[in-house]
Amino acid sequence: MAANEHDMMSNLERLVYMANQIAANFAILGEAEAITATAHHIADFWDPRMKANIRAVLEQNSASLTPMARAAVGQLPGA
């Protein structure tokens, strides 16, 4: 993604992009482990606002998340 495209993304689009990329990076582990690893990564490294926003995406527009990212966000505490 070009830098100017990244600047044009909304905060929610950026979170979706990041969640999808994290899930894609863990895909080598196999689906079940990738989902768990993605959920742990988000839980451990994202701030509370980011986690609340990605949960809102799950509730309002989950189609923007890949299936693994969607499942991982669904495993987050409070989801």
Side-chain angles (χ1 to χ4, degrees):
M1 173 178 309
N4 59 348
E5 290 177 37
H6 184 60
D7 293 339
M8 294 176 11
M9 293 174 74
S10 75
N11 287 335
L12 290 181
E13 289 171 329
R14 198 169 327 210
L15 292 178
V16 167
Y17 175 79
M18 290 175 13
N20 287 338
Q21 289 294 72
I22 293 164
N25 286 328
F26 284 125
I28 190 88
L29 301 174
E31 186 175 349
E33 285 186 55
I35 290 167
T36 300
T38 301
H40 284 215
H41 180 89
I42 292 171
D44 291 346
F45 297 107
W46 288 25
D47 74 37
R49 288 173 297 166
M50 293 168 71
K51 289 184 263 193
N53 286 336
I54 201 67
R55 280 191 219 99
V57 168
L58 181 65
E59 293 172 9
Q60 297 169 7
N61 185 20
S62 66
S64 61
L65 293 163
T66 63
M68 281 195 295
R70 189 178 315 124
V73 173
Q75 288 185 2
L76 293 174

